Amino acid sequence: MPEPTIDDIRAAAQRIQNVIHRTPVLTCATLDRLCDANIYFKCENFQKTGSFKIRGAANAVFSLSPEDASRGVATHSSGNHAAAVALAARLRGITAYVVMPRTAPRIKKNAVAGYGAEIVFCEPTLAARQEGLAEIVRQTGAVEVHPYNNYDVMAGQGTSALELCEEVGNLDAVVAPIGGGGLLSGTAIALSSISPATKVIGAEPANADDAARSLQAGKILPAGDPVTIADGLRTGVGTLTFPVIKQLVSDIITAEEELIAEALLLVWERMKVVIEPSSAVPLAVLLRRRGAIPGRRIGIILSGGNVDIGAVARSLPANVSKK
């Protein structure tokens, strides 16, 4: 299967239009002033399941043939992708099997169960998750829907940038967070066609900088076992997403933990909207590295809002939480 094109992203937008929300684009004068830019926030924190992940999951699930769909779908995830696959499967009327680490937050377990997925718990290691998923696929014949290393998922994620450009237009740059790279690669494909002058920038925690290091090296480097408040970005970049990123993304810029926490609190307090730490990384990058991002009209994709506020507040650096 070839890499997705803008035609695939447009087809995805049509396919999922009755499944997802067309999320709003918000602005904030205070953040514009702090960053010396006009920032347009694409609010995927208001999306169904609370994150952009439903876009890719729904496109993948609704792209299946009736025969394949009848076998159900399966994935492993501890968070947003699990909920997205579970909801997409429910909306199509098929079974979803989700392998989750037993240590996943209760709120996320409840969300996935609430969408009707059959959950199999495993030990909190990548190997255990992969082994559990392989066993489910072997037993049930379900179709695997990978969180990011899947072309249909990448095309679905690109619909967020498509909407952003339709609503705002003439952006100098768009900044999106990167973990596995599904959102960033989909964003880059969309913008390279509909707004080729717009620079696409990845934003990554400095403590989980495998994508930035990989882009610099020109090959995928291991992620290791990173520790960061932006828990949704701990995953290593994918083998399908990286070639797109390498070709179409201008740069990947990192932000330190304290700055991510500061950006998170700024959005909570100044915009009065709830986002998760991973969503704050693009703003953190803009606060620290304004000169590295060209132009004044900057789009930021707020990737999600699924957060245990109490737990995050307790994990904030003391000098940030007391500001």
Side-chain angles (χ1 to χ4, degrees), residues 21-107:
H21 294 313
R22 186 182 178 97
T23 52
V25 177
L26 301 183
T27 60
C28 177
T30 298
L31 296 183
D32 283 356
R33 177 178 54 80
L34 289 174
C35 296
D36 187 29
N38 300 120
I39 311 172
Y40 301 88
F41 295 92
K42 178 64 170 167
C43 293
E44 290 298 292
N45 52 312
F46 296 145
Q47 187 54 264
K48 288 185 179 178
T49 72
S51 87
F52 74 94
K53 291 285 191 176
I54 187 62
R55 294 177 180 272
N59 190 49
V61 168
F62 281 85
S63 293
L64 294 174
S65 68
E67 180 181 357
D68 285 342
S70 68
R71 294 152 45 196
V73 291
T75 194
H76 68 77
S77 170
S78 61
N80 292 341
H81 179 67
V85 170
L87 177 58
R90 189 183 77 179
L91 293 172
R92 185 153 186 190
I94 62 177
T95 302
Y97 305 92
V98 177
V99 178
M100 297 187 76
R102 58 177 176 76
T103 54
R106 178 181 53 81
I107 190 172

Side-chain angles (χ1 to χ4, degrees), residues 144-164:
E144 179 181 352
V145 180
H146 195 276
Y148 50 88
N149 230 27
N150 177 303
Y151 285 146
D152 288 327
V153 169
M154 292 162 61
Q157 315 305 29
T159 62
S160 179
L162 187 66
E163 291 177 9
L164 176 61

Side-chain angles (χ1 to χ4, degrees), residues 68 70-74 97 135-144:
D68 285 342
S70 68
R71 294 152 45 196
V73 291
Y97 305 92
E135 181 61 18
I136 286 174
V137 170
R138 186 188 68 79
Q139 289 181 0
T140 67
V143 178
E144 179 181 352

Side-chain angles (χ1 to χ4, degrees), residues 191-203:
L191 290 171
S192 68
S193 179
I194 62 177
S195 186
T198 301
K199 301 294 184 183
V200 179
I201 310 290

Side-chain angles (χ1 to χ4, degrees):
M1 181 178 179
E3 290 179 355
T5 66
I6 187 60
D7 291 335
D8 296 313
I9 292 174
R10 293 190 191 279
Q14 289 293 316
R15 186 175 295 117
I16 66 177
Q17 63 179 333
N18 295 324
V19 176
I20 66 165
H21 294 313
R22 186 182 178 97
T23 52
V25 177
L26 301 183
T27 60
C28 177
T30 298
L31 296 183
D32 283 356
R33 177 178 54 80
L34 289 174
C35 296
D36 187 29
N38 300 120
I39 311 172
Y40 301 88
F41 295 92
K42 178 64 170 167
C43 293
E44 290 298 292
N45 52 312
F46 296 145
Q47 187 54 264
K48 288 185 179 178
T49 72
S51 87
F52 74 94
K53 291 285 191 176
I54 187 62
R55 294 177 180 272
N59 190 49
V61 168
F62 281 85
S63 293
L64 294 174
S65 68
E67 180 181 357
D68 285 342
S70 68
R71 294 152 45 196
V73 291
T75 194
H76 68 77
S77 170
S78 61
N80 292 341
H81 179 67
V85 170
L87 177 58
R90 189 183 77 179
L91 293 172
R92 185 153 186 190
I94 62 177
T95 302
Y97 305 92
V98 177
V99 178
M100 297 187 76
R102 58 177 176 76
T103 54
R106 178 181 53 81
I107 190 172
K108 294 184 177 181
K109 294 176 183 176
N110 291 345
V112 175
Y115 289 127
E118 295 189 17
I119 303 175
V120 176
F121 294 108
C122 68
E123 292 303 304
T125 67
L126 179 58
R129 287 163 57 156
Q130 291 173 334
E131 290 168 7
L133 177 59
E135 181 61 18
I136 286 174
V137 170
R138 186 188 68 79
Q139 289 181 0
T140 67
V143 178
E144 179 181 352
V145 180
H146 195 276
Y148 50 88
N149 230 27
N150 177 303
Y151 285 146
D152 288 327
V153 169
M154 292 162 61
Q157 315 305 29
T159 62
S160 179
L162 187 66
E163 291 177 9
L164 176 61
C165 284
E166 288 173 351
E167 184 158 343
V168 179
N170 298 317
L171 291 167
D172 296 307
V174 171
V175 189
I178 175 169
L183 177 62
L184 185 61
S185 60
T187 296
I189 292 167
L191 290 171
S192 68
S193 179
I194 62 177
S195 186
T198 301
K199 301 294 184 183
V200 179
I201 310 290
E204 191 174 38
N207 284 7
D209 66 345
D210 67 286
R213 291 185 289 106
S214 296
L215 187 62
Q216 186 174 17
K219 62 181 180 180
I220 296 176
L221 299 177
D225 188 20
V227 177
T228 173
I229 189 177
D231 61 310
L233 306 181
R234 292 173 181 163
T235 271
V237 67
T239 56
L240 299 185
T241 60
F242 182 68
V244 174
I245 291 167
K246 183 179 176 182
Q247 179 183 0
L248 299 178
V249 171
S250 298
D251 197 4
I252 297 175
I253 305 173
T254 62
E256 291 73 25
E257 294 296 293
E258 183 176 330
L259 195 60
I260 296 170
E262 180 181 338
L264 179 70
L265 290 179
L266 279 170
V267 172
W268 286 0
E269 294 172 353
R270 302 294 180 163
M271 294 184 69
K272 313 303 182 186
V273 299
V274 175
I275 62 170
E276 58 194 66
S278 298
S279 295
V281 179
L283 178 60
V285 160
L286 194 54
L287 286 166
R288 174 62 58 84
R289 296 285 300 279
R290 176 67 188 93
I293 299 176
R296 286 194 56 85
R297 293 172 56 82
I298 311 296
I300 283 180
I301 299 180
L302 295 177
S303 53
N306 294 316
V307 58
D308 182 335
I309 293 177
V312 170
R314 289 190 296 273
S315 69
L316 293 177
N319 57 334
V320 172
S321 59
K322 292 178 181 177
K323 285 183 179 181

